Amino acid sequence: MIDFIKSYLGLCKLKVVALIVFTAMVGMFLATSPPGMVPWDVLLLGNLGIGMAASAAAAINHVLDAREDAKMTRTHNRPLPQGEINAGNAMIFAILLGALSMVILVVFINTLTAVLTFLSLVGYAVVYTMYLKRATPQNIVIGGAAGAAPPVLGWTALTGTIDPHALLLFLIIFIWTPPHFWALAIHRRDEYAKVDIPMLPVTHGVPFTRLQILLYTVMLIIVSVLPFVFRMSGLFYLAGALLLGGGFLYYAILLMKGDDESVAMKTFGYSIWYLMAMFTILLVDHYLPLLA
């Protein structure tokens, strides 16, 4: 029974979903004005619905990518390639999970959040996985819109509206996604080439991808300053954003040198901590006036 549960949880990409829920939760807290507590029903049920929808999208991704996953070292231990779950049951699980998430969001949160969450689910599970991933080396740039939605979903869960400040949070994740994923793609480029997925390092080469990572990192630093520019956040956030951006830039420059193959995975690892730290600093900065 434990193995059965572990297999289905394995479809959900829980580490990725945890980061999604975290950024959605931060979006909720940033939407409180003046800084205050998010109502418990919104905090718990909103994040539950968003997390379940993200898990459903991940499960659909497992089904659609099962053939490629079986050939790649990074993914061959997933539940479907290992025969722990068949594709039909995995798809039923994903549909039920997605449907339940919509019910929770419509009944307990608001329709706008449910609609935006559904569009994000479709964007990742269908538009990105079924089409973009195999159609263009710019797949992760275009498809990154779905992954950048969670803070907007959190904001709308509390307010029922789409606020320009929420779109700044969206923009940060949107610009962060390409350098984050391309670092991994450089490390795994041979595997992507083996299964004919046109990731940028496969189609345009590693040096070009390194340059794109550097350029996107510079753009990310500029974009990360916008919450301060538009008075959404204060000096504490600005200092943290510049320090974290400097760290990302350091890895991007190190990657440009091309001397050490391990730098790509170090850059990928730093990018995850970068996003977590950025949203933590945003949250702390939001509540600093209460400590003054």
Side-chain angles (χ1 to χ4, degrees), residues 87-137:
N89 288 340
M91 187 59 77
I92 291 171
F93 171 73
I95 292 171
L96 290 175
L97 203 59
L100 184 55
S101 74
M102 292 300 106
V103 170
I104 290 171
L105 293 174
V106 169
V107 174
F108 298 104
I109 305 302
N110 57 63
T111 303
L112 178 60
T113 303
V115 170
L116 294 176
T117 302
F118 178 74
L119 291 176
S120 298
L121 189 161
V122 172
Y124 176 72
V126 180
V127 177
Y128 169 71
T129 302
M130 287 188 67
Y131 175 68
L132 290 174
K133 190 173 184 177
R134 294 162 176 81
T136 169

mmCIF file of all heavy atoms in Angstrom, residues 87-137:
data_model
loop_
_atom_site.group_PDB
_atom_site.id
_atom_site.type_symbol
_atom_site.label_atom_id
_atom_site.label_comp_id
_atom_site.label_asym_id
_atom_site.label_seq_id
_atom_site.Cartn_x
_atom_site.Cartn_y
_atom_site.Cartn_z
ATOM 1 N N ALA A 87 -0.542 3.980 -18.016
ATOM 2 C CA ALA A 87 -0.887 5.323 -18.489
ATOM 3 C C ALA A 87 -2.357 5.654 -18.248
ATOM 4 O O ALA A 87 -2.695 6.802 -17.914
ATOM 5 C CB ALA A 87 -0.548 5.445 -19.970
ATOM 6 N N GLY A 88 -3.226 4.673 -18.419
ATOM 7 C CA GLY A 88 -4.654 4.906 -18.216
ATOM 8 C C GLY A 88 -4.975 5.318 -16.797
ATOM 9 O O GLY A 88 -5.704 6.294 -16.565
ATOM 10 N N ASN A 89 -4.449 4.587 -15.835
ATOM 11 C CA ASN A 89 -4.699 4.923 -14.429
ATOM 12 C C ASN A 89 -4.078 6.257 -14.052
ATOM 13 O O ASN A 89 -4.651 7.018 -13.261
ATOM 14 C CB ASN A 89 -4.166 3.821 -13.516
ATOM 15 C CG ASN A 89 -5.003 2.561 -13.575
ATOM 16 O OD1 ASN A 89 -6.167 2.600 -13.991
ATOM 17 N ND2 ASN A 89 -4.433 1.438 -13.174
ATOM 18 N N ALA A 90 -2.911 6.538 -14.619
ATOM 19 C CA ALA A 90 -2.262 7.820 -14.332
ATOM 20 C C ALA A 90 -3.100 8.982 -14.866
ATOM 21 O O ALA A 90 -3.243 10.016 -14.211
ATOM 22 C CB ALA A 90 -0.865 7.856 -14.948
ATOM 23 N N MET A 91 -3.685 8.811 -16.051
ATOM 24 C CA MET A 91 -4.511 9.872 -16.626
ATOM 25 C C MET A 91 -5.808 10.049 -15.831
ATOM 26 O O MET A 91 -6.253 11.190 -15.612
ATOM 27 C CB MET A 91 -4.830 9.565 -18.090
ATOM 28 C CG MET A 91 -5.553 10.703 -18.806
ATOM 29 S SD MET A 91 -4.619 12.263 -18.817
ATOM 30 C CE MET A 91 -3.412 11.909 -20.095
ATOM 31 N N ILE A 92 -6.406 8.947 -15.386
ATOM 32 C CA ILE A 92 -7.606 9.034 -14.548
ATOM 33 C C ILE A 92 -7.286 9.794 -13.255
ATOM 34 O O ILE A 92 -8.042 10.661 -12.811
ATOM 35 C CB ILE A 92 -8.157 7.628 -14.228
ATOM 36 C CG1 ILE A 92 -8.729 6.996 -15.499
ATOM 37 C CG2 ILE A 92 -9.226 7.690 -13.137
ATOM 38 C CD1 ILE A 92 -9.099 5.543 -15.342
ATOM 39 N N PHE A 93 -6.153 9.454 -12.658
ATOM 40 C CA PHE A 93 -5.693 10.135 -11.443
ATOM 41 C C PHE A 93 -5.540 11.631 -11.688
ATOM 42 O O PHE A 93 -6.001 12.464 -10.894
ATOM 43 C CB PHE A 93 -4.366 9.523 -10.990
ATOM 44 C CG PHE A 93 -3.681 10.261 -9.875
ATOM 45 C CD1 PHE A 93 -4.167 10.201 -8.580
ATOM 46 C CD2 PHE A 93 -2.524 10.993 -10.122
ATOM 47 C CE1 PHE A 93 -3.526 10.873 -7.541
ATOM 48 C CE2 PHE A 93 -1.874 11.662 -9.100
ATOM 49 C CZ PHE A 93 -2.378 11.600 -7.805
ATOM 50 N N ALA A 94 -4.931 11.995 -12.819
ATOM 51 C CA ALA A 94 -4.706 13.403 -13.144
ATOM 52 C C ALA A 94 -6.031 14.139 -13.350
ATOM 53 O O ALA A 94 -6.205 15.261 -12.857
ATOM 54 C CB ALA A 94 -3.844 13.514 -14.402
ATOM 55 N N ILE A 95 -6.955 13.517 -14.057
ATOM 56 C CA ILE A 95 -8.253 14.156 -14.325
ATOM 57 C C ILE A 95 -9.035 14.357 -13.029
ATOM 58 O O ILE A 95 -9.614 15.432 -12.800
ATOM 59 C CB ILE A 95 -9.068 13.317 -15.331
ATOM 60 C CG1 ILE A 95 -8.389 13.353 -16.710
ATOM 61 C CG2 ILE A 95 -10.507 13.826 -15.424
ATOM 62 C CD1 ILE A 95 -8.971 12.395 -17.717
ATOM 63 N N LEU A 96 -9.045 13.343 -12.174
ATOM 64 C CA LEU A 96 -9.758 13.461 -10.899
ATOM 65 C C LEU A 96 -9.134 14.549 -10.028
ATOM 66 O O LEU A 96 -9.840 15.347 -9.405
ATOM 67 C CB LEU A 96 -9.746 12.116 -10.161
ATOM 68 C CG LEU A 96 -10.596 11.001 -10.770
ATOM 69 C CD1 LEU A 96 -10.393 9.691 -9.997
ATOM 70 C CD2 LEU A 96 -12.067 11.386 -10.762
ATOM 71 N N LEU A 97 -7.811 14.573 -9.996
ATOM 72 C CA LEU A 97 -7.105 15.569 -9.202
ATOM 73 C C LEU A 97 -7.390 16.975 -9.722
ATOM 74 O O LEU A 97 -7.670 17.905 -8.945
ATOM 75 C CB LEU A 97 -5.601 15.272 -9.249
ATOM 76 C CG LEU A 97 -4.702 15.810 -8.130
ATOM 77 C CD1 LEU A 97 -5.151 15.279 -6.777
ATOM 78 C CD2 LEU A 97 -3.245 15.404 -8.399
ATOM 79 N N GLY A 98 -7.337 17.124 -11.047
ATOM 80 C CA GLY A 98 -7.607 18.427 -11.644
ATOM 81 C C GLY A 98 -9.045 18.873 -11.429
ATOM 82 O O GLY A 98 -9.309 20.037 -11.131
ATOM 83 N N ALA A 99 -9.986 17.936 -11.577
ATOM 84 C CA ALA A 99 -11.396 18.266 -11.381
ATOM 85 C C ALA A 99 -11.668 18.686 -9.941
ATOM 86 O O ALA A 99 -12.388 19.663 -9.685
ATOM 87 C CB ALA A 99 -12.271 17.070 -11.763
ATOM 88 N N LEU A 100 -11.083 17.961 -8.998
ATOM 89 C CA LEU A 100 -11.275 18.288 -7.587
ATOM 90 C C LEU A 100 -10.675 19.652 -7.261
ATOM 91 O O LEU A 100 -11.259 20.431 -6.484
ATOM 92 C CB LEU A 100 -10.658 17.206 -6.708
ATOM 93 C CG LEU A 100 -10.863 17.340 -5.191
ATOM 94 C CD1 LEU A 100 -12.348 17.445 -4.856
ATOM 95 C CD2 LEU A 100 -10.221 16.161 -4.450
ATOM 96 N N SER A 101 -9.544 19.959 -7.864
ATOM 97 C CA SER A 101 -8.929 21.276 -7.626
ATOM 98 C C SER A 101 -9.847 22.391 -8.117
ATOM 99 O O SER A 101 -9.983 23.428 -7.464
ATOM 100 C CB SER A 101 -7.564 21.365 -8.320
ATOM 101 O OG SER A 101 -7.695 21.512 -9.726
ATOM 102 N N MET A 102 -10.502 22.180 -9.254
ATOM 103 C CA MET A 102 -11.415 23.191 -9.786
ATOM 104 C C MET A 102 -12.629 23.374 -8.877
ATOM 105 O O MET A 102 -13.096 24.500 -8.647
ATOM 106 C CB MET A 102 -11.871 22.805 -11.196
ATOM 107 C CG MET A 102 -10.775 22.862 -12.262
ATOM 108 S SD MET A 102 -10.039 24.501 -12.469
ATOM 109 C CE MET A 102 -8.446 24.243 -11.664
ATOM 110 N N VAL A 103 -13.152 22.271 -8.355
ATOM 111 C CA VAL A 103 -14.290 22.348 -7.441
ATOM 112 C C VAL A 103 -13.917 23.157 -6.201
ATOM 113 O O VAL A 103 -14.663 24.041 -5.763
ATOM 114 C CB VAL A 103 -14.768 20.936 -7.040
ATOM 115 C CG1 VAL A 103 -15.792 21.013 -5.907
ATOM 116 C CG2 VAL A 103 -15.370 20.215 -8.237
ATOM 117 N N ILE A 104 -12.755 22.867 -5.644
ATOM 118 C CA ILE A 104 -12.298 23.587 -4.445
ATOM 119 C C ILE A 104 -12.169 25.083 -4.722
ATOM 120 O O ILE A 104 -12.640 25.924 -3.947
ATOM 121 C CB ILE A 104 -10.950 23.010 -3.954
ATOM 122 C CG1 ILE A 104 -11.159 21.604 -3.383
ATOM 123 C CG2 ILE A 104 -10.319 23.928 -2.898
ATOM 124 C CD1 ILE A 104 -9.865 20.881 -3.070
ATOM 125 N N LEU A 105 -11.557 25.416 -5.856
ATOM 126 C CA LEU A 105 -11.321 26.828 -6.157
ATOM 127 C C LEU A 105 -12.609 27.573 -6.490
ATOM 128 O O LEU A 105 -12.792 28.722 -6.075
ATOM 129 C CB LEU A 105 -10.318 26.951 -7.309
ATOM 130 C CG LEU A 105 -8.885 26.484 -6.997
ATOM 131 C CD1 LEU A 105 -8.018 26.520 -8.247
ATOM 132 C CD2 LEU A 105 -8.257 27.326 -5.895
ATOM 133 N N VAL A 106 -13.514 26.946 -7.232
ATOM 134 C CA VAL A 106 -14.769 27.601 -7.586
ATOM 135 C C VAL A 106 -15.663 27.773 -6.365
ATOM 136 O O VAL A 106 -16.237 28.844 -6.136
ATOM 137 C CB VAL A 106 -15.514 26.804 -8.680
ATOM 138 C CG1 VAL A 106 -16.939 27.338 -8.852
ATOM 139 C CG2 VAL A 106 -14.767 26.876 -10.005
ATOM 140 N N VAL A 107 -15.784 26.718 -5.557
ATOM 141 C CA VAL A 107 -16.715 26.733 -4.424
ATOM 142 C C VAL A 107 -16.199 27.570 -3.263
ATOM 143 O O VAL A 107 -16.947 28.349 -2.654
ATOM 144 C CB VAL A 107 -17.019 25.294 -3.951
ATOM 145 C CG1 VAL A 107 -17.863 25.312 -2.673
ATOM 146 C CG2 VAL A 107 -17.725 24.515 -5.040
ATOM 147 N N PHE A 108 -14.902 27.433 -2.950
ATOM 148 C CA PHE A 108 -14.377 28.045 -1.728
ATOM 149 C C PHE A 108 -13.543 29.302 -1.958
ATOM 150 O O PHE A 108 -13.309 30.063 -1.015
ATOM 151 C CB PHE A 108 -13.551 27.028 -0.944
ATOM 152 C CG PHE A 108 -14.340 25.839 -0.480
ATOM 153 C CD1 PHE A 108 -14.221 24.619 -1.122
ATOM 154 C CD2 PHE A 108 -15.219 25.954 0.594
ATOM 155 C CE1 PHE A 108 -14.952 23.522 -0.695
ATOM 156 C CE2 PHE A 108 -15.951 24.862 1.027
ATOM 157 C CZ PHE A 108 -15.828 23.637 0.380
ATOM 158 N N ILE A 109 -13.058 29.517 -3.184
ATOM 159 C CA ILE A 109 -12.192 30.689 -3.427
ATOM 160 C C ILE A 109 -12.933 31.663 -4.357
ATOM 161 O O ILE A 109 -13.752 32.428 -3.896
ATOM 162 C CB ILE A 109 -10.831 30.248 -4.006
ATOM 163 C CG1 ILE A 109 -10.169 29.199 -3.087
ATOM 164 C CG2 ILE A 109 -9.905 31.467 -4.144
ATOM 165 C CD1 ILE A 109 -9.929 29.664 -1.655
ATOM 166 N N ASN A 110 -12.668 31.635 -5.634
ATOM 167 C CA ASN A 110 -13.429 32.443 -6.591
ATOM 168 C C ASN A 110 -13.218 31.912 -8.003
ATOM 169 O O ASN A 110 -12.252 31.193 -8.275
ATOM 170 C CB ASN A 110 -13.071 33.938 -6.495
ATOM 171 C CG ASN A 110 -11.591 34.196 -6.712
ATOM 172 O OD1 ASN A 110 -11.056 33.933 -7.775
ATOM 173 N ND2 ASN A 110 -10.920 34.721 -5.677
ATOM 174 N N THR A 111 -14.121 32.287 -8.882
ATOM 175 C CA THR A 111 -14.111 31.750 -10.245
ATOM 176 C C THR A 111 -12.882 32.200 -11.027
ATOM 177 O O THR A 111 -12.322 31.433 -11.816
ATOM 178 C CB THR A 111 -15.385 32.171 -11.000
ATOM 179 O OG1 THR A 111 -16.530 31.730 -10.263
ATOM 180 C CG2 THR A 111 -15.434 31.561 -12.384
ATOM 181 N N LEU A 112 -12.451 33.450 -10.834
ATOM 182 C CA LEU A 112 -11.283 33.950 -11.561
ATOM 183 C C LEU A 112 -10.050 33.105 -11.267
ATOM 184 O O LEU A 112 -9.309 32.732 -12.192
ATOM 185 C CB LEU A 112 -11.015 35.411 -11.198
ATOM 186 C CG LEU A 112 -9.779 36.041 -11.851
ATOM 187 C CD1 LEU A 112 -9.907 36.020 -13.370
ATOM 188 C CD2 LEU A 112 -9.569 37.473 -11.347
ATOM 189 N N THR A 113 -9.833 32.784 -10.006
ATOM 190 C CA THR A 113 -8.676 31.950 -9.646
ATOM 191 C C THR A 113 -8.793 30.572 -10.283
ATOM 192 O O THR A 113 -7.802 30.019 -10.781
ATOM 193 C CB THR A 113 -8.562 31.820 -8.116
ATOM 194 O OG1 THR A 113 -8.466 33.123 -7.543
ATOM 195 C CG2 THR A 113 -7.333 31.015 -7.730
ATOM 196 N N ALA A 114 -9.992 30.014 -10.290
ATOM 197 C CA ALA A 114 -10.201 28.700 -10.899
ATOM 198 C C ALA A 114 -9.906 28.734 -12.396
ATOM 199 O O ALA A 114 -9.228 27.843 -12.930
ATOM 200 C CB ALA A 114 -11.632 28.227 -10.652
ATOM 201 N N VAL A 115 -10.383 29.777 -13.074
ATOM 202 C CA VAL A 115 -10.162 29.890 -14.518
ATOM 203 C C VAL A 115 -8.676 30.050 -14.830
ATOM 204 O O VAL A 115 -8.130 29.370 -15.719
ATOM 205 C CB VAL A 115 -10.960 31.078 -15.095
ATOM 206 C CG1 VAL A 115 -10.539 31.365 -16.545
ATOM 207 C CG2 VAL A 115 -12.453 30.791 -15.032
ATOM 208 N N LEU A 116 -7.997 30.925 -14.105
ATOM 209 C CA LEU A 116 -6.565 31.143 -14.337
ATOM 210 C C LEU A 116 -5.752 29.889 -14.017
ATOM 211 O O LEU A 116 -4.785 29.562 -14.719
ATOM 212 C CB LEU A 116 -6.062 32.320 -13.504
ATOM 213 C CG LEU A 116 -6.615 33.701 -13.875
ATOM 214 C CD1 LEU A 116 -6.105 34.753 -12.912
ATOM 215 C CD2 LEU A 116 -6.254 34.063 -15.309
ATOM 216 N N THR A 117 -6.142 29.182 -12.970
ATOM 217 C CA THR A 117 -5.455 27.941 -12.613
ATOM 218 C C THR A 117 -5.660 26.884 -13.688
ATOM 219 O O THR A 117 -4.722 26.175 -14.066
ATOM 220 C CB THR A 117 -5.963 27.416 -11.259
ATOM 221 O OG1 THR A 117 -5.762 28.411 -10.251
ATOM 222 C CG2 THR A 117 -5.219 26.154 -10.849
ATOM 223 N N PHE A 118 -6.871 26.801 -14.198
ATOM 224 C CA PHE A 118 -7.157 25.840 -15.278
ATOM 225 C C PHE A 118 -6.342 26.171 -16.529
ATOM 226 O O PHE A 118 -5.784 25.279 -17.175
ATOM 227 C CB PHE A 118 -8.649 25.848 -15.601
ATOM 228 C CG PHE A 118 -9.027 24.919 -16.722
ATOM 229 C CD1 PHE A 118 -9.060 23.546 -16.522
ATOM 230 C CD2 PHE A 118 -9.326 25.419 -17.986
ATOM 231 C CE1 PHE A 118 -9.396 22.675 -17.556
ATOM 232 C CE2 PHE A 118 -9.655 24.559 -19.031
ATOM 233 C CZ PHE A 118 -9.695 23.185 -18.810
ATOM 234 N N LEU A 119 -6.261 27.453 -16.873
ATOM 235 C CA LEU A 119 -5.475 27.855 -18.039
ATOM 236 C C LEU A 119 -3.998 27.522 -17.848
ATOM 237 O O LEU A 119 -3.314 27.117 -18.798
ATOM 238 C CB LEU A 119 -5.645 29.352 -18.298
ATOM 239 C CG LEU A 119 -7.035 29.798 -18.784
ATOM 240 C CD1 LEU A 119 -7.097 31.313 -18.897
ATOM 241 C CD2 LEU A 119 -7.383 29.144 -20.113
ATOM 242 N N SER A 120 -3.504 27.667 -16.631
ATOM 243 C CA SER A 120 -2.114 27.307 -16.334
ATOM 244 C C SER A 120 -1.897 25.809 -16.479
ATOM 245 O O SER A 120 -0.877 25.357 -17.012
ATOM 246 C CB SER A 120 -1.745 27.749 -14.917
ATOM 247 O OG SER A 120 -1.836 29.145 -14.783
ATOM 248 N N LEU A 121 -2.865 25.029 -15.987
ATOM 249 C CA LEU A 121 -2.795 23.570 -16.110
ATOM 250 C C LEU A 121 -2.734 23.172 -17.579
ATOM 251 O O LEU A 121 -1.872 22.381 -17.987
ATOM 252 C CB LEU A 121 -4.014 22.943 -15.421
ATOM 253 C CG LEU A 121 -4.064 21.420 -15.223
ATOM 254 C CD1 LEU A 121 -5.086 21.069 -14.139
ATOM 255 C CD2 LEU A 121 -4.410 20.658 -16.493
ATOM 256 N N VAL A 122 -3.634 23.718 -18.372
ATOM 257 C CA VAL A 122 -3.663 23.400 -19.803
ATOM 258 C C VAL A 122 -2.392 23.898 -20.494
ATOM 259 O O VAL A 122 -1.830 23.214 -21.357
ATOM 260 C CB VAL A 122 -4.915 24.024 -20.463
ATOM 261 C CG1 VAL A 122 -4.861 23.873 -21.980
ATOM 262 C CG2 VAL A 122 -6.178 23.372 -19.910
ATOM 263 N N GLY A 123 -1.932 25.076 -20.084
ATOM 264 C CA GLY A 123 -0.730 25.634 -20.685
ATOM 265 C C GLY A 123 0.480 24.745 -20.513
ATOM 266 O O GLY A 123 1.269 24.560 -21.446
ATOM 267 N N TYR A 124 0.638 24.180 -19.308
ATOM 268 C CA TYR A 124 1.791 23.309 -19.054
ATOM 269 C C TYR A 124 1.575 21.908 -19.599
ATOM 270 O O TYR A 124 2.427 21.368 -20.323
ATOM 271 C CB TYR A 124 2.077 23.235 -17.556
ATOM 272 C CG TYR A 124 3.193 22.263 -17.218
ATOM 273 C CD1 TYR A 124 4.517 22.572 -17.516
ATOM 274 C CD2 TYR A 124 2.916 21.025 -16.634
ATOM 275 C CE1 TYR A 124 5.543 21.686 -17.237
ATOM 276 C CE2 TYR A 124 3.939 20.131 -16.348
ATOM 277 C CZ TYR A 124 5.246 20.464 -16.647
ATOM 278 O OH TYR A 124 6.258 19.573 -16.363
ATOM 279 N N ALA A 125 0.431 21.307 -19.250
ATOM 280 C CA ALA A 125 0.214 19.894 -19.566
ATOM 281 C C ALA A 125 -0.059 19.654 -21.047
ATOM 282 O O ALA A 125 0.307 18.607 -21.585
ATOM 283 C CB ALA A 125 -0.944 19.344 -18.732
ATOM 284 N N VAL A 126 -0.699 20.611 -21.710
ATOM 285 C CA VAL A 126 -1.095 20.404 -23.099
ATOM 286 C C VAL A 126 -0.246 21.245 -24.053
ATOM 287 O O VAL A 126 0.474 20.711 -24.902
ATOM 288 C CB VAL A 126 -2.590 20.719 -23.301
ATOM 289 C CG1 VAL A 126 -2.983 20.504 -24.764
ATOM 290 C CG2 VAL A 126 -3.450 19.851 -22.387
ATOM 291 N N VAL A 127 -0.302 22.567 -23.906
ATOM 292 C CA VAL A 127 0.383 23.445 -24.864
ATOM 293 C C VAL A 127 1.890 23.219 -24.828
ATOM 294 O O VAL A 127 2.530 23.044 -25.874
ATOM 295 C CB VAL A 127 0.048 24.922 -24.585
ATOM 296 C CG1 VAL A 127 0.814 25.833 -25.542
ATOM 297 C CG2 VAL A 127 -1.447 25.163 -24.711
ATOM 298 N N TYR A 128 2.473 23.214 -23.612
ATOM 299 C CA TYR A 128 3.927 23.021 -23.513
ATOM 300 C C TYR A 128 4.326 21.572 -23.789
ATOM 301 O O TYR A 128 5.146 21.304 -24.673
ATOM 302 C CB TYR A 128 4.431 23.440 -22.132
ATOM 303 C CG TYR A 128 5.867 23.026 -21.880
ATOM 304 C CD1 TYR A 128 6.909 23.650 -22.553
ATOM 305 C CD2 TYR A 128 6.170 21.985 -21.001
ATOM 306 C CE1 TYR A 128 8.235 23.260 -22.347
ATOM 307 C CE2 TYR A 128 7.483 21.590 -20.795
ATOM 308 C CZ TYR A 128 8.512 22.224 -21.465
ATOM 309 O OH TYR A 128 9.813 21.825 -21.266
ATOM 310 N N THR A 129 3.748 20.627 -23.040
ATOM 311 C CA THR A 129 4.192 19.240 -23.127
ATOM 312 C C THR A 129 3.875 18.608 -24.480
ATOM 313 O O THR A 129 4.709 17.913 -25.068
ATOM 314 C CB THR A 129 3.555 18.397 -22.013
ATOM 315 O OG1 THR A 129 3.897 18.967 -20.747
ATOM 316 C CG2 THR A 129 4.069 16.968 -22.052
ATOM 317 N N MET A 130 2.658 18.832 -24.993
ATOM 318 C CA MET A 130 2.251 18.176 -26.235
ATOM 319 C C MET A 130 2.801 18.863 -27.478
ATOM 320 O O MET A 130 3.104 18.200 -28.472
ATOM 321 C CB MET A 130 0.722 18.120 -26.331
ATOM 322 C CG MET A 130 0.078 17.121 -25.400
ATOM 323 S SD MET A 130 -1.699 16.926 -25.717
ATOM 324 C CE MET A 130 -1.668 16.156 -27.344
ATOM 325 N N TYR A 131 2.934 20.191 -27.420
ATOM 326 C CA TYR A 131 3.313 20.899 -28.645
ATOM 327 C C TYR A 131 4.658 21.608 -28.556
ATOM 328 O O TYR A 131 5.616 21.251 -29.240
ATOM 329 C CB TYR A 131 2.219 21.899 -29.030
ATOM 330 C CG TYR A 131 2.602 22.737 -30.222
ATOM 331 C CD1 TYR A 131 2.725 22.163 -31.496
ATOM 332 C CD2 TYR A 131 2.876 24.102 -30.093
ATOM 333 C CE1 TYR A 131 3.105 22.919 -32.592
ATOM 334 C CE2 TYR A 131 3.253 24.874 -31.190
ATOM 335 C CZ TYR A 131 3.365 24.274 -32.433
ATOM 336 O OH TYR A 131 3.758 25.019 -33.514
ATOM 337 N N LEU A 132 4.753 22.602 -27.677
ATOM 338 C CA LEU A 132 5.936 23.454 -27.662
ATOM 339 C C LEU A 132 7.222 22.684 -27.400
ATOM 340 O O LEU A 132 8.257 22.965 -28.016
ATOM 341 C CB LEU A 132 5.772 24.554 -26.607
ATOM 342 C CG LEU A 132 4.744 25.647 -26.901
ATOM 343 C CD1 LEU A 132 4.604 26.563 -25.697
ATOM 344 C CD2 LEU A 132 5.149 26.447 -28.133
ATOM 345 N N LYS A 133 7.179 21.747 -26.484
ATOM 346 C CA LYS A 133 8.380 21.013 -26.075
ATOM 347 C C LYS A 133 9.049 20.334 -27.257
ATOM 348 O O LYS A 133 10.277 20.212 -27.306
ATOM 349 C CB LYS A 133 8.018 19.988 -25.005
ATOM 350 C CG LYS A 133 9.216 19.326 -24.341
ATOM 351 C CD LYS A 133 8.762 18.462 -23.178
ATOM 352 C CE LYS A 133 9.945 17.853 -22.430
ATOM 353 N NZ LYS A 133 9.489 17.063 -21.264
ATOM 354 N N ARG A 134 8.257 19.892 -28.217
ATOM 355 C CA ARG A 134 8.782 19.153 -29.358
ATOM 356 C C ARG A 134 8.819 19.985 -30.633
ATOM 357 O O ARG A 134 9.238 19.489 -31.677
ATOM 358 C CB ARG A 134 7.932 17.899 -29.589
ATOM 359 C CG ARG A 134 8.044 16.901 -28.450
ATOM 360 C CD ARG A 134 6.906 15.879 -28.460
ATOM 361 N NE ARG A 134 7.080 14.880 -27.413
ATOM 362 C CZ ARG A 134 6.745 15.073 -26.132
ATOM 363 N NH1 ARG A 134 6.212 16.229 -25.763
ATOM 364 N NH2 ARG A 134 6.940 14.129 -25.247
ATOM 365 N N ALA A 135 8.358 21.234 -30.558
ATOM 366 C CA ALA A 135 8.212 22.040 -31.766
ATOM 367 C C ALA A 135 9.277 23.108 -31.934
ATOM 368 O O ALA A 135 9.613 23.474 -33.064
ATOM 369 C CB ALA A 135 6.831 22.697 -31.782
ATOM 370 N N THR A 136 9.817 23.631 -30.831
ATOM 371 C CA THR A 136 10.718 24.779 -30.941
ATOM 372 C C THR A 136 11.724 24.813 -29.789
ATOM 373 O O THR A 136 11.372 24.443 -28.660
ATOM 374 C CB THR A 136 9.912 26.099 -30.933
ATOM 375 O OG1 THR A 136 10.807 27.214 -30.793
ATOM 376 C CG2 THR A 136 8.909 26.136 -29.790
ATOM 377 N N PRO A 137 12.936 25.252 -30.055
ATOM 378 C CA PRO A 137 13.917 25.409 -28.972
ATOM 379 C C PRO A 137 13.560 26.533 -28.006
ATOM 380 O O PRO A 137 14.157 26.654 -26.944
ATOM 381 C CB PRO A 137 15.226 25.712 -29.715
ATOM 382 C CG PRO A 137 14.810 26.207 -31.049
ATOM 383 C CD PRO A 137 13.535 25.501 -31.378
#
